[in-house]
Amino acid sequence: MSTAAGIWDHSKQWSSEELEQTGQRMMEQMARYPKDRSGVWQQDRVWFGCHDQWVTPESVGQPMPYYDALRELAITGDVILDNREELLEQLGLLQQPELPDVLLLIHAYTKWGEQMPSRLNGDFAFMIWDGKQERLFGARDWSGNRTLYYANRQNQFYFASTMEALLHTGNVKRKLSTPWMAEFLTTVAMEESTDIHATVYEEIHQLPPAHKITVASGRCRIEQYGNLLPDGPLQLHSDGEYEEAFRELFARVVRSKVRTRHGVAATLSGGLDSGSVVSYAAPILSQQKKPLYTYSFVPIPGFKDWTSSRVMANERPYIEETVRHVRRVNEVHDHYMDFADRSPFSEVEHWLSLMEMPYKYFENSFWIRGIFEQAQQHGAGVLLTGARGNFTISWGPAIEYYGQMLRKFQWMRLYQELKLYSRNAGIRRKKLVQQIGQSAFPGLVRSSPDLGRPDALRWINPELAARTGMAERVRQAELDLIGSDTMTDEEVRNSKFANLAVANKDGAVTSKLSMGYGVWERDPTNDPRIVKFCLSIPFHQYVQNGMDRALIRRATEGQLPDKIRLNQKVRGLQPADWVLRMRPQWGAFTDEIRELCRDASVAEWVNTDNILSALQEVGDAPDAEAAFNPSTRLLMRSLIVGRFIRGLA
């Protein structure tokens, strides 16, 4: 949660006073973030600054920025290392177990140089000034959970945790990037841009996740130092060995994530992922004599669940079951919050200020931010989540696995599995057989493409789409999808961790929320050790005996109640009430949409005709079911983009 910044005047254009004054403007912009101490370091043509927050016991009192005169190395950044013990041993520093993480990085850089980032595990974004080599060197963690933005001007190189700090130097223009905006407006997924180096501003770039940067003589060299894919499959001898290996690793990872001198909190739903995180964290915190605070979102009073019988919009009964079970090993303070006075509409200004760019994930915005506020008020230094669990610890699509069995003619095993799965999931076998057949032979079923032309090009100004080539790119994507089989769940899973555009989006949200509220979001299900382990496990460990997500169900026996652990019939859905929440402000919302459509600066980017058509389709009094209507979502996204654009004026 520390915010850092730096300048290298490599062309010797400024006086010492000019360098200091520019750096101070960056520090002033970031002063709004929580901090324990602020510091600056300046030498010749280099200036470093940091608003430092002491999250871990080792970080208390650390000097940031830090300068090692003997090595001629200075460092600033935001760092928490999860493999401290391993690094201390490798660096011969076991006699200094209380060494702060940033100083550990100095030792690591001295020994391994530019190869150092691949040996690190944790959340980090840092820059080191190497006076002997006359260069800057930095890195961003594997999942991008800390942000690092930079601007390489002709005479100076700037970097910072936030884009606004760079814009406040007076030498970086607040000019929108046309390619970034064009992609943002046509990409169907939540990601902003496929260009992992780009940002919403033309003159600001970001260091991508799992990348390192070296700046020498004004030139940048950026390289990827690793990925999250495993070296190969893990082959153990029995189901029990896989379960034990998972338990040992997950407990170790969770222990590293709760390292803080403050309290520990967790988001908690009624499912397996957050439930597993909480169930593993509780006994660890009990040893530390710390309670666990849990925060759960529930719909507003009066909400009538309109979703299907296999979905639960209010997970409170399942959450309470988990809390009762976990209370056997530790004190739990559980909180159920409906945030009745909030909606996606009321949150827009907060999120635009927080994210420094437009965003698409508005449905959950009000309760996610509300939970961080609650954690801050309760003195938490860490907020645990299980956000990535669907692709790691609780992965296991049964239908796809059964499709593989069908293709391999494993009919007897498939028959037994089908019988058990039908009973566990409450789905008729006839329906399952149809789904399995479609999974086994997707080429026989022509499915509609996700990037179909009407949806992907509905939002963007048509002239802009044609000028940037987005129209042709979308058409080609449509043809590619129609002409090929759809991706398997296994391929989708691997792509989630190989696609750094996804990590950019997720990491920015994690970083900005953590900085904004002084509460470090930590997700054990997204730890590189867990990701690589889970991706290396054979498919049959995830689906067996009629159970999907089978590994985590087996590994949490005794730690989660069976009502949660064995539940295959319903899943949670948040938030199904977002349109209902906006009903009292719907008039103001639609008035603002119409006003934005009349603004030439907004119309330059978006298709105002389609937005007004969507407004007419949705109407003046939409019901709760409109929450997942594409037109309703288009309206909300348009308001967010419109406000951002008008805010630049």
Side-chain angles (χ1 to χ4, degrees):
M1 283 97 56
S2 301
T3 52
I7 308 169
W8 179 19
D9 179 28
H10 50 77
S11 295
K12 303 181 182 180
Q13 296 292 308
W14 288 347
S15 66
S16 176
E17 290 75 17
E18 287 175 311
L19 181 63
E20 180 183 4
Q21 289 169 4
T22 305
Q24 285 300 330
R25 287 198 295 272
M26 299 172 78
M27 289 288 281
E28 288 168 7
Q29 194 285 321
M30 298 189 299
R32 64 190 179 110
Y33 298 105
K35 56 189 174 295
D36 290 300
R37 177 189 290 170
S38 297
V40 298
W41 170 86
Q42 184 173 342
Q43 185 183 80
D44 299 329
R45 295 167 289 130
V46 183
W47 176 93
F48 277 5
C50 185
H51 292 302
D52 195 20
Q53 187 166 13
W54 302 331
V55 179
T56 66
E58 298 85 3
S59 66
V60 176
Q62 67 184 7
M64 279 291 279
Y66 173 78
Y67 180 64
D68 186 317
L70 180 64
R71 296 180 174 89
E72 294 186 43
L73 298 175
I75 186 171
T76 190
D78 189 15
V79 180
I80 186 166
L81 298 175
D82 292 333
N83 60 333
R84 280 178 54 85
E85 292 79 6
E86 175 186 331
L87 291 171
L88 288 169
E89 181 178 1
Q90 292 172 348
L91 295 168
L93 298 171
L94 289 174
Q95 302 307 311
Q96 302 181 57
E98 297 181 358
L99 195 71
D101 288 354
V102 290
L103 302 193
L104 196 53
L105 287 186
I106 291 289
H107 288 276
Y109 178 76
T110 301
K111 181 170 183 176
W112 297 309
E114 294 187 8
Q115 304 308 310
M116 176 255 282
S118 62
R119 295 176 176 268
L120 307 178
N121 194 347
D123 297 345
F124 55 82
F126 64 86
M127 283 294 244
I128 294 173
W129 167 248
D130 188 332
K132 293 181 179 179
Q133 298 291 331
E134 282 274 310
R135 69 183 182 189
L136 285 169
F137 175 76
R140 188 177 174 197
D141 66 75
W142 299 78
S143 296
N145 289 327
R146 304 291 97 185
T147 49
L148 186 59
Y149 301 103
Y150 67 93
N152 192 21
R153 312 297 294 152
Q154 185 176 2
N155 298 315
Q156 292 88 25
F157 179 88
Y158 309 86
F159 69 88
S161 301
T162 70
M163 290 185 280
E164 282 295 327
L166 299 177
L167 294 168
H168 275 68
T169 62
N171 299 305
V172 180
K173 296 178 182 176
R174 196 184 294 271
K175 182 181 179 183
L176 290 180
S177 166
T178 298
W180 191 98
M181 286 291 290
E183 278 209 82
F184 181 85
L185 294 167
T186 50
T187 303
V188 176
M190 292 293 180
E191 292 74 58
E192 295 98 8
S193 171
T194 56
D195 184 347
I196 58 176
H197 300 266
T199 74
V200 66
Y201 295 111
E202 187 176 282
E203 296 187 2
I204 297 178
H205 302 277
Q206 61 182 321
L207 183 66
H211 277 66
K212 57 186 178 181
I213 180 172
T214 303
V215 186
S217 302
R219 296 183 178 181
C220 298
R221 186 178 79 251
I222 297 175
E223 299 174 297
Q224 186 167 349
Y225 61 77
N227 61 63
L228 294 173
L229 300 179
D231 297 329
L234 178 64
Q235 299 292 342
L236 300 179
H237 295 96
S238 67
D239 292 348
E241 288 189 11
Y242 283 105
E243 295 159 23
E244 187 56 35
F246 171 82
R247 291 191 192 100
E248 188 279 328
L249 177 61
F250 197 55
R252 181 153 46 95
V253 167
V254 172
R255 183 177 295 276
S256 71
K257 301 297 183 188
V258 301
R259 181 169 66 98
T260 179
R261 70 189 185 101
H262 302 295
V264 176
T267 59
L268 182 60
S269 70
L272 288 167
D273 300 321
S274 60
S276 297
V277 171
V278 164
S279 72
Y280 272 78
I284 296 170
L285 294 174
S286 178
Q287 295 170 2
Q288 300 175 5
K289 295 182 170 26
K290 287 184 177 182
L292 177 62
Y293 292 84
T294 66
Y295 307 110
S296 306
F297 165 74
V298 294
I300 54 177
F303 170 73
K304 295 181 180 179
D305 195 346
W306 53 270
T307 59
S308 74
S309 60
R310 300 192 65 82
V311 172
M312 50 182 171
N314 188 351
E315 301 177 67
R316 181 163 183 161
Y318 287 81
I319 297 167
E320 290 176 334
E321 193 79 21
T322 296
V323 169
R324 281 193 293 269
H325 196 86
V326 172
R327 275 199 176 120
R328 300 182 307 170
V329 296
N330 195 17
E331 181 181 355
V332 179
H333 300 285
D334 51 326
H335 302 268
Y336 306 89
M337 296 167 291
D338 59 29
F339 301 108
D341 60 335
R342 301 188 184 189
S343 73
F345 184 51
S346 68
E347 292 294 292
V348 175
E349 286 305 311
H350 294 288
W351 276 82
L352 287 178
S353 174
L354 194 71
M355 296 305 301
E356 309 179 288
M357 59 183 172
Y359 60 95
K360 300 177 183 177
Y361 34 84
F362 60 84
E363 297 96 332
N364 298 312
S365 59
F366 61 91
W367 66 264
I368 291 175
R369 194 177 70 85
I371 281 176
F372 271 84
E373 286 183 342
Q374 291 292 312
Q376 182 185 49
Q377 291 172 16
H378 288 139
V382 163
L383 178 68
L384 299 172
T385 77
R388 206 60 176 222
N390 283 343
F391 296 101
T392 56
I393 66 172
S394 69
W395 187 76
I399 299 301
E400 179 172 322
Y401 184 63
Y402 295 155
Q404 291 186 11
M405 294 175 68
L406 179 60
R407 288 198 303 273
K408 295 176 182 178
F409 303 104
Q410 298 172 341
W411 293 334
M412 290 301 297
R413 281 184 55 205
L414 177 58
Y415 173 77
Q416 294 297 327
E417 283 284 338
L418 190 58
K419 184 167 62 173
L420 291 171
Y421 186 76
S422 174
R423 183 186 64 196
N424 293 341
I427 303 174
R428 292 186 299 115
R429 271 184 271 182
K430 182 177 180 181
K431 183 176 181 179
L432 288 175
V433 168
Q434 183 182 16
Q435 293 174 351
I436 293 167
Q438 292 174 350
S439 176
F441 308 107
L444 300 179
V445 181
R446 188 71 70 183
S447 58
S448 299
D450 292 333
L451 294 177
R453 191 182 312 153
D455 292 331
L457 295 178
R458 188 182 183 193
W459 195 12
I460 189 171
N461 179 304
E463 187 277 329
L464 176 64
R467 176 161 49 89
T468 57
M470 295 307 299
E472 183 57 36
R473 288 177 60 178
V474 169
R475 290 189 185 96
Q476 187 58 53
E478 179 185 22
L479 292 173
D480 290 344
L481 282 168
I482 290 176
S484 64
D485 294 341
T486 56
M487 292 176 68
T488 65
D489 288 327
E490 201 163 13
E491 290 168 336
V492 169
R493 181 199 197 198
N494 289 338
S495 72
K496 286 287 184 182
F497 297 105
N499 185 349
L500 294 181
V502 175
N504 259 341
K505 188 270 294 181
D506 293 344
V509 176
T510 295
S511 184
K512 301 296 178 66
L513 283 165
S514 297
M515 285 192 299
Y517 294 96
V519 180
W520 202 307
E521 180 182 327
R522 311 228 63 203
D523 183 1
T525 69
N526 196 36
D527 183 279
R529 294 165 290 183
I530 286 294
V531 173
K532 291 186 176 184
F533 176 84
C534 290
L535 292 180
S536 73
I537 293 177
F539 206 153
H540 68 82
Q541 286 299 315
Y542 289 106
V543 182
Q544 59 177 249
N545 300 321
M547 285 194 300
D548 58 12
R549 312 167 85 185
L551 179 64
I552 193 66
R553 296 187 195 278
R554 297 175 352 243
T556 53
E557 184 173 5
Q559 290 182 281
L560 278 178
D562 285 352
K563 180 177 179 179
I564 309 302
R565 188 176 69 88
L566 301 179
N567 170 35
Q568 292 184 234
K569 295 182 177 179
V570 293
R571 288 196 180 189
L573 176 69
Q574 309 115 355
D577 65 347
W578 76 265
V579 169
L580 193 63
R581 289 170 176 273
M582 287 178 54
R583 284 285 295 274
Q585 296 87 34
W586 198 259
F589 170 64
T590 55
D591 286 347
E592 184 172 352
I593 292 287
R594 293 185 182 94
E595 181 184 350
L596 289 169
C597 287
R598 291 191 293 267
D599 190 319
S601 65
V602 176
E604 176 185 349
W605 299 97
V606 300
N607 190 324
T608 55
D609 289 340
N610 283 347
I611 294 171
L612 291 173
S613 294
L615 195 62
Q616 186 173 5
E617 177 191 335
V618 174
D620 296 329
D623 52 28
E625 288 89 335
F628 296 101
N629 180 339
S631 292
T632 317
R633 295 166 60 83
L634 175 67
L635 294 177
M636 191 65 219
R637 288 184 176 185
S638 298
L639 181 132
I640 292 167
V641 167
R643 280 221 197 150
F644 177 79
I645 293 170
R646 297 183 82 178
L648 299 177

